[in-house]
Amino acid sequence: MKKKKTALLLSAALAGVMTISLCACDLFEGDPVFDNKTPYEIATEQGYDGSPESYLASVIGVGSGGDSQVRIAYEEAKKEGYTGTFLDFLQTYLSLSVNDSANINRALTSVVSIRCGFQESLGGYRPSSNTQSVTSAGSGVIYSLEKENGNAYVITNYHVVYNADSVGTETTAHVSDNISLYLYGGELSSGAIRATYLGGAMNYDIAVLKVEGSEVLKQSSARAVVSANSDAVTVGEAAYAIGNPEGEGISVSGGIVSVDAEYIEIKSSDESTTLTMLEMRTDAPVNHGNSGGGLFNADGKLIGIVNAKTEEDGVEGLGYAIPANLALSVAQNIIDNAQSKGAVRATLGISVGTTGSKCVYDEALGKAYIMETVAITSVSDGSVAEGKLKAGDTLYSATLNGAETVITRHHMLTSVLFNVRKDQTLTLKVYRGGQLISVEIAFDASSYFTLFN
């Protein structure tokens, strides 16, 4: 896919590696042969007799409206005798001038502004006596909340809490030990909520902050964010960025989803490398300080974590957010692996590629979805997948803890791998030689995981 250069929302750089595997060598002679069958085409060979759009609705929820209050209202109207299409109902619904303000106001209570303190050297020298205090501003979303105890986990961007020029005595190098959070409407010094850095993954630009025993939280209207399935988001949907632009306090800007998922090149937080990251693009205005805040849909549900924008001359309306499915998988992994201060991702030891892609248009909903063919291009010697997966296999689905994820897009496997924990077994269904086969892969060794911090 075409990759785009982006600028950063803050003066600190940010990073993003979107990888499925270790660098792999092909164990099979000659080039692998790909069948280029989409998951839908594989399903039809296995007996599925529905349409492509109904298949997508069943496997990832697109078209089902599971997250849409409008769709719920439509289903209720049909029970009462309404005979029009969803588009007919939508046009009627919109003509009532119903806006999204109630949902967005609810989302405001799940967003915080962030201030981080650092010590930077003066004149390029390192001695602590020759430093200056600096403060950076950013945003975050409340991932989980125990209001009665004043406890919370907050997701933000790694680059919000990281300063490559810091020379302080941080517990984690270059990560702030002086972090304050502020709720919407409480952005005075008396409303400061002290937070500590739990862990983060520079390569995925996600960090988790921990709050314990906050009296401010106990007495607040704060609530944990509600997330949507970002893999079911389509182009043209309403998108609202809620954050702390220019450090001036929490505010809302609106637009649409411009691209549901793409890879962009972006500079890492340490300012030394340029990596590749999965992003959702929006034309909702985002600025310095929006980093770490939420991108929400019209239902007030989180669809992404804002982290970047293009700042090239003459280019407007290119803001980016890490899709919620990936961002939340990384965040939960950081929480579960708090002792490592990072995210521990399962690594199959395969390289995968998109060998086919097509659009599926849902006439009833007026929505277009992309369905890809994702195939294995190589397998690493000594990896957990050696002898089980082969170059040329088409990935159909991944099942973990009884939950099956059909791989309709290339990026979906990464979120699954962040959800794997040591001693768990991942079941992959692959299409090989005209047959759909199941392969069980046991992640029973620490060597099958990669630490990102």
Side-chain angles (χ1 to χ4, degrees):
M1 293 184 180
K2 184 178 179 181
K3 298 177 179 126
K4 302 174 178 64
K5 294 285 187 180
T6 71
L8 307 175
L9 292 183
L10 298 178
S11 57
L14 63 99
V17 170
M18 169 58 183
T19 56
I20 298 293
S21 65
L22 298 171
C23 294
C25 58
D26 197 347
L27 300 180
F28 306 94
E29 294 183 0
D31 294 329
V33 178
F34 304 108
D35 54 51
N36 283 337
K37 289 186 182 294
T38 66
Y40 169 70
E41 291 167 333
I42 294 173
T44 57
E45 289 192 3
Q46 305 302 308
Y48 183 80
D49 59 359
S51 65
E53 51 268 30
S54 64
Y55 175 74
L56 281 175
S58 67
V59 298
I60 59 173
V62 296
S64 65
D67 292 328
S68 171
Q69 293 180 357
V70 181
R71 181 71 189 204
I72 292 171
Y74 170 64
E75 296 297 338
E76 291 298 320
K78 287 203 302 182
K79 292 178 183 178
E80 298 296 325
Y82 183 79
T83 58
T85 67
F86 179 70
L87 281 182
D88 294 334
F89 182 80
L90 188 62
Q91 291 170 350
T92 302
Y93 184 88
L94 290 178
S95 71
L96 299 178
S97 298
V98 176
N99 61 46
D100 307 324
S101 63
N103 297 327
I104 300 308
N105 274 263
R106 185 176 64 249
L108 278 169
T109 64
S110 300
V111 177
V112 299
S113 58
I114 299 176
R115 294 180 185 174
C116 297
F118 300 92
Q119 291 293 318
E120 289 185 351
S121 63
L122 292 170
Y125 295 103
R126 289 289 179 177
S128 59
S129 60
N130 195 26
T131 64
Q132 64 178 349
S133 297
V134 297
T135 302
S136 67
S139 311
V141 296
I142 301 173
Y143 176 59
S144 66
L145 176 65
E146 296 177 355
K147 188 181 293 186
E148 65 279 7
N149 298 320
N151 299 337
Y153 288 117
V154 172
I155 301 174
T156 188
N157 289 142
Y158 189 90
H159 77 263
V160 168
V161 297
Y162 182 96
N163 184 338
D165 296 324
S166 173
V167 294
T169 58
E170 297 90 351
T171 303
T172 301
H174 304 292
V175 173
S176 177
D177 283 337
N178 182 13
I179 303 173
S180 295
L181 315 179
Y182 301 85
L183 299 170
Y184 178 68
E187 294 163 302
L188 301 174
S189 58
S190 60
I193 300 170
R194 296 293 297 172
T196 57
Y197 174 75
L198 184 72
M202 182 185 292
N203 287 357
Y204 289 88
D205 200 27
I206 291 292
V208 176
L209 309 178
K210 185 175 183 179
V211 176
E212 294 183 289
S214 168
E215 292 298 326
V216 174
L217 273 183
K218 291 178 184 179
Q219 305 301 321
S220 73
S221 298
R223 64 179 68 198
V225 71
V226 178
S227 63
N229 176 10
S230 59
D231 287 325
V233 171
T234 56
V235 170
E237 290 188 24
Y240 296 89
I242 305 180
N244 179 29
E246 302 300 329
E248 296 294 331
I250 296 173
S251 66
V252 181
S253 59
I256 62 170
V257 174
S258 303
V259 178
D260 59 342
E262 64 179 336
Y263 296 100
I264 64 172
E265 290 182 348
I266 202 163
K267 202 170 186 180
S268 68
S269 297
D270 60 12
E271 303 179 5
S272 64
T273 53
T274 299
L275 302 169
T276 304
M277 193 167 191
L278 175 70
E279 300 281 352
M280 181 182 294
R281 192 199 306 177
T282 179
D283 69 348
V286 292
N287 293 285
H288 299 266
N290 272 109
S291 290
L295 188 68
F296 294 86
N297 64 13
D299 292 336
K301 295 183 178 180
L302 185 75
I303 58 175
I305 298 294
V306 175
N307 73 323
K309 70 176 293 186
T310 294
E311 293 186 330
E312 298 176 14
D313 291 340
V315 178
E316 296 181 0
L318 269 69
Y320 297 94
I322 305 164
N325 288 9
L326 176 61
L328 269 57
S329 292
V330 175
Q332 185 60 55
N333 190 295
I334 291 169
I335 293 169
D336 292 345
N337 294 284
Q339 73 285 349
S340 71
K341 291 288 184 181
V344 183
R345 194 201 67 199
T347 304
L348 284 166
I350 62 175
S351 292
V352 300
T354 302
T355 59
S357 180
K358 62 176 60 177
C359 171
V360 175
Y361 181 71
D362 190 322
E363 189 75 37
L365 297 182
K367 288 181 175 290
Y369 307 99
I370 295 174
M371 190 187 307
E372 297 173 343
T373 300
V374 183
I376 297 172
T377 58
S378 61
V379 181
S380 292
D381 190 6
S383 70
V384 68
E386 182 185 11
K388 297 180 179 181
L389 299 175
K390 297 182 178 181
D393 286 348
T394 297
L395 288 171
Y396 177 75
S397 71
T399 300
L400 181 67
N401 297 326
E404 184 177 33
T405 300
V406 177
I407 309 299
T408 58
R409 299 291 297 274
H410 175 278
H411 63 262
M412 295 172 70
L413 183 58
T414 297
S415 296
V416 174
L417 292 176
F418 270 113
N419 294 329
V420 177
R421 302 294 181 264
K422 189 174 180 296
D423 295 324
Q424 290 185 334
T425 297
L426 179 67
T427 301
L428 293 175
K429 288 183 180 178
V430 298
Y431 189 75
R432 180 191 302 165
Q435 295 184 330
L436 189 62
I437 63 174
S438 293
V439 176
E440 291 191 351
I441 299 180
F443 287 89
D444 52 5
S446 298
S447 60
Y448 298 146
F449 292 83
T450 300
L451 173 64
F452 296 91
N453 58 9

